[in-house]
Amino acid sequence: MRTRLLALVAGLTLVITAAYATEIELNPDYPETYIVQKGDTLWDISSMFLKTPWLWPKLWQANPQIDNPHLIYPGDELQLVWINEQPKLVKSKPSSTRIVKLGPKVRTSEPKAPIPTIPLKEIRPFLIYEQVLSEEEIASLPYVLGTNDGTTRSSYPQTMYAKGVDAPQGQLFGIYRPGEALMHPETEELLGYEAKLVAIAKSMPAGNFTKLEIVESKYEVRNGDKLIPVLEREVLPAFFEPHEPNRLVKGHIIHTANYSKYVGKFDVVAMSIGANHNIEAGHVLAIMQPGAVMYDEPPERPQYEDDANALEKMAIEFGDEEVIVQLPDERVGELLVFRVYEKVSYGLIMRTDKPVKQLDIVTNP
């Protein structure tokens, strides 16, 4: 009974949340022009102009005459204009009188990189190194066998042998150790294991085995640790277009990357929804803190669930609707999804009004 009551309240909250207007609303002190600076992020710029930065796609007017029109670079001049009575942000057009002479030249500096959507330094480890693996994936991965000197733990600059590796010489591997089990807080389904990076090694073929040279270690490598090829730096995505999910979604924060009880802006969290719920990189989700459950039977004073006596807690547990009251969920911030697995996703908290914690709800903004 209690489960039905709480599910009904959560469902109504989702409907109400989804019904909020999604028309863009400009900040009262927005600039009419802005020169993009090195170190800016798309979220920063969107926040200058919009009260709801995740509605960036409704503000941005891409110019098809500009190469890669969705990318913004340091030095670009952005202007706010009105098209069909709607505000649009555009890049200033390059001067039509500019003459470019083609010919041999020496590159004196690296080409400018587009600004990222969010601070990449906060999420880079989760894009390149950190993993979420299923039991089946863990069982199928190649693994560390050991060393010829009989040690069970290794570190830089030792070498070891691995089994199941098929890779060219010089291939970099992340050496992982399955860590915390990620569980669904309501169904108790195992969603995957967080695999923690313990070292990086370089492969060197050696007959029927593969020899690994540890080139960097965070922790000691143990026999049986798993091997996953390291992604190249060039594939690190920098652009996630902030946007809302196109259907109702609801999940929970199930893990904080820094293992703290409370987290805040620019902290990374894991959520109980992934590709199986049509979550994708770039989705912006609201963070909601569940309303308190109370026991309320006049003329007695209302009691919070944690303060209720044994009899009151029994009524709460069995869902006595006549005496149970759940206060409304409260919105405390937003996050942007940047990495999606089948049943789990990771997001970066972009704004908070109060500390965020495990079991907080994530849903449509």
Side-chain angles (χ1 to χ4, degrees), residues 2-315:
R2 181 192 179 196
T3 302
R4 286 209 326 254
L5 175 64
L6 298 186
L8 176 61
V9 173
L12 289 174
T13 301
L14 276 176
V15 172
I16 293 171
T17 300
Y20 285 157
T22 56
E23 293 303 314
I24 62 176
E25 185 177 356
L26 295 174
N27 277 324
D29 56 349
Y30 67 85
E32 293 195 4
T33 63
Y34 179 71
I35 305 295
V36 180
Q37 306 296 314
K38 185 177 180 180
D40 282 345
T41 66
L42 186 65
W43 190 276
D44 295 333
I45 294 174
S46 188
S47 298
M48 292 182 192
F49 292 90
L50 296 176
K51 290 186 176 180
T52 50
W54 57 91
L55 294 183
W56 170 262
K58 293 190 176 185
L59 178 69
W60 178 242
Q61 180 77 16
N63 184 346
Q65 297 179 351
I66 299 176
D67 290 338
N68 299 317
H70 293 288
L71 301 182
I72 299 174
Y73 296 81
D76 283 348
E77 181 177 0
L78 307 180
Q79 291 184 332
L80 190 72
V81 298
W82 293 83
I83 301 176
N84 297 326
E85 299 184 352
Q86 293 296 319
K88 295 292 181 181
L89 196 63
V90 301
K91 282 185 187 180
S92 296
K93 294 181 180 180
S95 170
S96 59
T97 60
R98 183 183 176 194
I99 299 175
V100 179
K101 295 183 178 180
L102 301 178
K105 61 181 180 179
V106 176
R107 177 177 292 176
T108 57
S109 62
E110 292 295 321
K112 288 190 298 185
I115 64 170
T117 307
I118 52 180
L120 291 182
K121 68 177 182 178
E122 311 294 344
I123 65 172
R124 184 178 182 275
F126 299 90
L127 292 171
I128 297 182
Y129 298 127
E130 307 301 338
Q131 303 282 339
V132 172
L133 303 172
S134 67
E135 286 185 297
E136 295 76 16
E137 288 173 323
I138 292 173
S140 66
L141 288 173
Y143 55 91
V144 173
L145 275 174
T147 66
N148 274 329
D149 58 12
T151 58
T152 58
R153 298 170 185 257
S154 306
S155 60
Y156 174 81
Q158 288 179 283
T159 58
M160 67 198 78
Y161 289 91
K163 186 175 182 180
V165 176
D166 181 14
Q169 182 170 348
Q171 168 71 53
L172 291 178
F173 283 90
I175 302 178
Y176 287 87
R177 186 170 304 136
E180 182 172 336
L182 301 175
M183 310 294 296
H184 194 287
E186 293 178 342
T187 66
E188 297 186 356
E189 176 191 3
L190 175 63
L191 303 178
Y193 289 93
E194 189 178 51
K196 302 301 293 183
L197 180 73
V198 296
I200 298 175
K202 182 170 60 177
S203 66
M204 297 178 291
N208 294 328
F209 297 91
T210 297
K211 192 175 184 180
L212 296 174
E213 177 186 353
I214 299 176
V215 296
E216 180 182 341
S217 57
K218 297 174 64 177
Y219 309 101
E220 289 184 320
V221 177
R222 300 174 186 171
N223 297 350
D225 283 345
K226 303 296 184 175
L227 302 172
I228 301 177
V230 172
L231 296 176
E232 295 295 333
R233 186 183 300 265
E234 287 74 13
V235 305
L236 175 66
F239 185 79
F240 305 91
E241 183 174 282
H243 61 289
E244 302 174 80
N246 59 10
R247 64 183 67 187
L248 289 176
V249 296
K250 177 178 179 283
H252 294 83
I253 292 174
I254 56 174
H255 176 65
T256 60
N258 61 7
Y259 296 93
S260 297
K261 182 177 181 180
Y262 297 102
V263 291
K265 185 176 180 179
F266 294 159
D267 282 326
V268 172
V269 295
M271 296 164 284
S272 62
I273 47 179
N276 60 338
H277 286 84
N278 297 297
I279 295 298
E280 57 189 51
H283 272 166
V284 176
L285 302 177
I287 305 171
M288 311 286 292
Q289 291 193 337
V293 177
M294 304 192 69
Y295 180 88
D296 181 26
E297 187 176 21
E300 299 297 326
R301 185 176 62 181
Q303 296 286 335
Y304 292 107
E305 183 175 14
D306 291 343
D307 299 330
N309 60 39
L311 186 60
E312 293 166 344
K313 288 183 177 179
M314 185 178 298

